[in-house]
Amino acid sequence: MTHVTRLCCALLALILSPAVVAGPAVSPKVKPLMANTVGPASEAVFAVARAAPADDEAWLAVEKHALTLVSAGKTLKKLTPAADAVWRRQAGLLMENATAAAKAAKARDAAGLNAASEAGFNTCAGCHQTHPVNP
Ligand code: HEC
């Protein structure tokens, strides 16, 4: 294969890869933030749909995880790809719903916590639809 053909193939592969087609490049900081922080913290918050926190310790843990999600949302906002309205909106909604979840946990309000958790769940899919996971 000539040098030029090889270069063309590489460019074609890049153009066809879903991450590139999907939109602006995403910061390499996003993946570890999702895997190490957003994933585990949100699982702990979403778990309240199965069972409300049983004691003070469990309520405090949920509140802490929700606050972790608020700060992750803040970080995500800073990592917004240029001119990406969906990203900005979904990161903002994640912060809003996580803040509501933390407040509900502080108030020991199981119904409020459930509602905020469900709304928070939708913010994940809202961003992942336009920003698929890179291999
Ligand atoms: C503002 C956009 C945005 C929001 C909101 C968002 N994500 Fe993500 N998420 C991403 C992007 C972009 C990737 C892919 C990053 C990559 O592959 O480089 C990702 C990847 C992931 C991954 C895969 C990590 C890995 O190891 O491959 C998990 C798990 C994840 N997100 C969970 C969540 C959960 C749970 C929520 C909601 C609580 C959420 N995300 C909200 C943008 C977002």
Side-chain angles (χ1 to χ4, degrees):
M1 213 192 283
T2 69
H3 198 68
V4 172
T5 323
R6 230 190 326 251
L7 184 68
C8 283
C9 286
L11 282 178
L12 191 64
L14 196 66
I15 290 164
L16 291 179
S17 81
V20 175
V21 171
V26 159
S27 160
K29 290 183 183 153
V30 172
K31 201 180 178 78
L33 179 71
M34 289 291 152
N36 305 330
T37 306
V38 175
S42 61
E43 262 168 44
V45 174
F46 297 154
V48 301
R50 292 191 297 275
D55 52 22
D56 263 8
E57 204 181 328
W59 278 107
L60 279 174
V62 172
E63 185 184 349
K64 195 176 127 246
H65 287 303
L67 291 173
T68 301
L69 285 179
V70 176
S71 83
K74 231 178 261 177
T75 308
L76 277 176
K77 261 196 164 168
K78 286 194 206 122
L79 298 174
T80 304
D84 191 329
V86 172
W87 186 285
R88 212 180 308 275
R89 187 183 65 231
Q90 294 308 122
L93 285 174
L94 175 62
M95 282 171 68
E96 264 174 45
N97 292 312
T99 302
K103 277 193 187 142
K106 202 181 179 79
R108 308 292 191 261
D109 169 8
L113 179 57
N114 245 324
S117 161
E118 200 173 304
F121 185 72
N122 293 328
T123 66
C124 318
C127 196
H128 293 160
Q129 254 164 20
T130 48
H131 301 83
V133 177
N134 290 310

